[in-house]
Amino acid sequence: MRRSIVAASATVAFFLGGAANQAYAERQPRMRDALAHLETALSDLRAATSDKGGHRVKAIQLTEQAIASVRDGIQFDNRH
């Protein structure tokens, strides 16, 4: 009897833990997708030729700011 209670408790804990990990792993998928797209865009901007009348440099700066803002938003949501 005692062994089956321990086994049942372990099984419940395993499934609850797995559900919690899965829920955490799937948090903010849109923000994480946006972050990945911004990082790709930043890489592409840095690889582009520099003759863009200053617009490429400005786009790099704005993309870096956007990346920082998305990361801040993810961290904020994870804490609240």
Side-chain angles (χ1 to χ4, degrees), residues 4-44:
S4 56
I5 291 173
V6 171
S9 297
T11 302
V12 169
F14 174 78
F15 283 113
L16 289 177
N21 286 338
Q22 185 172 356
Y24 183 75
E26 294 178 3
R27 290 182 69 168
Q28 307 176 57
R30 304 255 181 192
M31 291 290 278
R32 295 197 181 279
D33 286 348
L35 184 59
H37 289 293
L38 286 166
E39 288 170 343
T40 299
L42 181 60
S43 177
D44 290 344

Side-chain angles (χ1 to χ4, degrees), residues 45-68:
L45 286 166
R46 287 181 174 157
T49 58
S50 60
D51 185 32
K52 307 286 187 266
H55 295 287
R56 177 183 151 272
V57 172
K58 183 67 173 177
I60 289 171
Q61 293 168 346
L62 291 171
T63 305
E64 289 171 339
Q65 289 175 10
I67 288 170

